[in-house]
């Protein structure tokens, strides 16, 4: 049995977490799955002979949410033939949290897609070393690609934007719906400003629809 952690983007409530947990628990080969809404992560214990991290990530996607994944290119020194690249590819595919790995002998590089919650570049480099080859991290030495943190920041920025848009659309809707209730004198003025009968009702419908299909789309997508 193996265990992995997987970041999940798009969960907004306990029902979301429960939905993902049920989807993972039903996956063949999964012995146990728990989803933490606060950390936006799932912990999964699975039988590697039956399922894989890639299939687990796919189950999260099929439940309506986005598994947080990152990509990494890393140099591999010491390869001399196709058997070498195949050996490195097998070693990388066996790292918990790696979704896919391809090794190019001509460029001496490996390209991976992995789960930052379970694997880090150092784990990947170690697997290359243990296979008998030399890992060469591309870019500045010691640089860590904190992909999951950046993904969380992007998701938070998107949610903040949606709140602002929803508020901007909802405030005039509330004013049109309840303004005359609190300020009766406005009722006649609002009626006089209407270019045709029923105009303000159509305006309220347009504003309400915009709130649902624009900032509110995340709930329907999930």
């Amino acid at each position: 049995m193996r265990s992995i952690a997987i970041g999940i983007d798009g969960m907004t409530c306990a029902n979301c977490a429960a939905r993902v947990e049920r989807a993972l628990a039903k996956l063949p080969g999964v012995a146990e799955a728990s989803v933490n809404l606060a950390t936006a992560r799932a912990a999964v214990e699975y039988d590697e002979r039956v399922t894989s991290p890639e299939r687990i990530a796919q189950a999260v996607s099929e439940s309506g949410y986005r598994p947080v994944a990152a990509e990494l290119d890393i140099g591999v020194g010491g390869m001399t033939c196709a058997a070498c690249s195949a050996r490195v590819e097998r070693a990388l595919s066996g790292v918990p949290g790696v979704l896919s790995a391809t090794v190019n002998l001509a460029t001496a590089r490996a390209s991976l897609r992995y789960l930052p919650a379970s694997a880090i570049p150092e784990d990947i480099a170690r697997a290359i070393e243990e296979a008998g080859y030399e890992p060469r991290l591309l870019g500045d030495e010691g640089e860590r690609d904190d992909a999951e943190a950046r993904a969380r920041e992007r998701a938070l920025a998107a949610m903040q934007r949606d709140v602002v848009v929803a508020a901007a659309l909802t405030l005039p809707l509330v004013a049109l719906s309840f303004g005359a209730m609190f300020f009766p004198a406005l009722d006649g003025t609002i009626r006089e400003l209407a270019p045709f009968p029923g105009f303000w009702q159509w305006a309220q419908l347009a504003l309400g629809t915009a709130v649902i299909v624009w900032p509110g789309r995340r709930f329907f997508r999930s």
Side-chain angles (χ1 to χ4, degrees), residues 109-154:
R109 281 192 179 189
S111 298
L112 303 97
R113 185 167 178 265
Y114 67 100
L115 303 174
S118 290
I120 57 176
E122 284 81 355
D123 296 331
I124 294 165
R126 190 178 305 112
I128 294 173
E129 283 183 343
E130 290 174 354
Y133 301 90
E134 179 189 354
R136 297 170 179 168
L137 292 174
L138 305 176
D140 295 336
E141 187 175 355
E143 179 183 352
R144 174 170 291 187
D145 191 12
D146 197 350
E148 188 172 16
R150 292 202 306 273
R152 295 277 171 254
E153 289 173 2
R154 289 195 298 270

Side-chain angles (χ1 to χ4, degrees), residues 16 28 75 81 87 110-111 129 140 158 161 186 189 193 211-212:
C16 297
C81 63
R87 178 182 174 87
S111 298
E129 283 183 343
D140 295 336
R161 180 201 63 214
L186 289 177
T189 304
L193 292 175
V211 171
I212 291 172

